[in-house]
Amino acid sequence: MTYPAGAATVTSIEAIDSHTGGEPTRTVISGFPDLGEGTLKQRRDRFAREHDALRRAIACEPRGSDVVVGALLVPPDDARAVTGVIFFNNVGPLWMCGHGAIGVIRSLQFLGRIEPGQHWLDTPAGLVGARLHEDGRVSIDNVPSYRHARDVSVTLMDERVVQGDVAWGGNWFFITPETPIPLEPNHWRDLTAYAEDIRRALEEAGIRGADGLEIDHIEINTASPTPGMDARNFVLCPGLAYDRSPCGTGTSAKLACLAADGTLAAGAVWRQESLIGSVFEGTWRPGEDGSILPTITGSAFVTAQSRLVLDPTDPFVCGFSG
Ligand code: PYC
């Protein structure tokens, strides 16, 4: 077995694993080839074009899983940032990742590279503020978020019509409160199939975000039965794993819809619960041109400090996705 292009010279990669509300982040701190010159968006493109085999080696089975979000640390475009980050998962790069940003900040603290205080991360979606609190919580000041389209209808395979909003929170989301399946952890398989059906229907109907970008995250967001929670969500990610955390970019997109509807005031706290019961707190400030500036607060914990070994004789050295 020879390495596919892009993995040829790599035999080991250093990473810090963490989880944010149950959702894993694998922060790649060394061993990845230099992505060269260019903006973070250009380097994200190069990452997708030239290093897909390495992405799979890090994020997919047998070293990773469909749930793992990778976070490749790269030099930032903006000198204020402690690092640039390219997030990726089992199918490709992301634009931003809220739970991942919280995981990266805690991993940098674990490495002794930062202390509690104000920091910045540079991402392909834009500069993101990150306040590391003394108690370990992290508040992410996310990129400007907005509702792109309201009450969009899609027809599912069984002719059911589902209505929802299309919104940007650092990734593209279709957000609906409608679900025939209760948002309970034991229903994750049925919820996955339902959300996948919505995603297919959006694609078939040609419904996309701004600039024709694919709506690759589906969020079902309903009232929560848990006292003190404003809502519970189920977010299907692009690689068809569901987010164990309440999804930072998904919560940002939801806040943008609440702000547009006038149902959540600027500065008010929104407590967003995930399917497994983890919680993010979200607030928003007004941004420009009708957008909002969301702040998402959550906690992450380091779970491993690893050296990933890439053995060229391993037939699955660059991973596979089920
Ligand atoms: O927290 O933004 C997020 C996220 C996106 C995909 C998985 N988690």
Side-chain angles (χ1 to χ4, degrees):
M1 171 81 187
T2 53
Y3 282 121
T9 57
V10 175
T11 53
S12 89
I13 287 174
E14 305 283 338
I16 305 293
D17 286 350
S18 62
H19 81 87
T20 309
E23 181 79 350
T25 305
R26 176 162 283 170
T27 301
V28 175
I29 56 174
S30 68
F32 204 91
D34 182 9
L35 292 178
E37 300 292 311
T39 64
L40 264 172
K41 270 191 193 142
Q42 288 166 332
R43 286 180 281 158
R44 176 191 186 270
D45 288 348
R46 196 168 302 132
F47 171 88
R49 229 179 21 250
E50 296 173 15
H51 298 289
D52 202 56
L54 267 185
R55 174 192 61 74
R56 279 187 280 112
I58 296 164
C60 295
E61 294 183 49
R63 256 179 230 89
S65 78
D66 286 356
V67 195
V68 167
V69 169
L72 173 63
L73 302 190
V74 295
D77 289 341
D78 189 310
R80 280 174 295 175
V82 59
T83 185
V85 192
I86 296 172
F87 293 107
F88 55 97
N89 65 9
N90 55 333
V91 289
L94 295 160
W95 291 103
M96 215 322 256
C97 181
H99 94 265
I102 294 170
V104 166
I105 287 292
R106 285 287 275 164
S107 297
L108 292 176
Q109 182 185 27
F110 175 81
L111 290 168
R113 294 189 189 174
I114 61 170
E115 295 196 344
Q118 178 68 48
H119 304 284
W120 302 91
L121 296 176
D122 211 353
T123 77
L127 193 67
V128 165
R131 262 182 321 290
L132 173 57
H133 302 277
E134 292 287 345
D135 64 4
R137 287 175 312 128
V138 179
S139 294
I140 298 295
D141 294 322
N142 197 8
V143 296
S145 302
Y146 61 97
R147 178 161 68 188
H148 176 67
R150 184 183 179 195
D151 291 342
V152 175
S153 294
V154 284
T155 306
L156 305 190
M157 270 178 319
D158 63 1
E159 302 301 318
R160 169 194 292 272
V161 176
V162 177
Q163 237 181 27
D165 292 351
V166 175
W168 170 258
N171 290 300
W172 280 106
F173 288 82
F174 179 83
I175 307 177
T176 181
E178 296 174 23
T179 175
I181 305 149
L183 262 61
E184 296 293 342
N186 56 325
H187 289 299
W188 70 268
R189 282 192 182 80
D190 290 338
L191 287 163
T192 298
Y194 173 60
E196 212 180 324
D197 197 5
I198 295 176
R199 191 172 147 185
R200 182 203 50 78
L202 287 165
E203 231 170 80
E204 274 182 19
I207 298 168
R208 293 188 156 242
D211 300 327
L213 288 177
E214 188 184 355
I215 302 166
D216 54 5
H217 291 73
I218 307 299
E219 175 168 351
I220 303 162
N221 196 306
T222 66
S224 168
T226 310
M229 292 299 129
D230 291 296
R232 177 181 287 179
N233 69 13
F234 172 90
V235 176
L236 188 70
C237 297
L240 305 183
Y242 78 88
D243 195 335
R244 276 61 167 161
S245 87
C247 193
T249 52
T251 301
S252 300
K254 176 67 184 173
L255 292 177
C257 296
L258 292 164
D261 284 335
T263 47
L264 185 75
V269 176
W270 179 262
R271 289 174 64 79
Q272 181 67 60
E273 186 187 35
S274 75
L275 192 72
I276 68 162
S278 50
V279 180
F280 285 165
E281 283 187 358
T283 60
W284 65 272
R285 294 171 289 132
E288 286 175 9
D289 301 325
S291 70
I292 63 153
L293 300 171
T295 297
I296 305 296
T297 300
S299 301
F301 300 88
V302 169
T303 54
Q305 179 167 21
S306 349
R307 186 164 71 90
L308 311 183
V309 175
L310 281 75
D311 176 348
T313 65
D314 175 357
F316 295 113
V317 62
C318 285
F320 65 92
S321 196

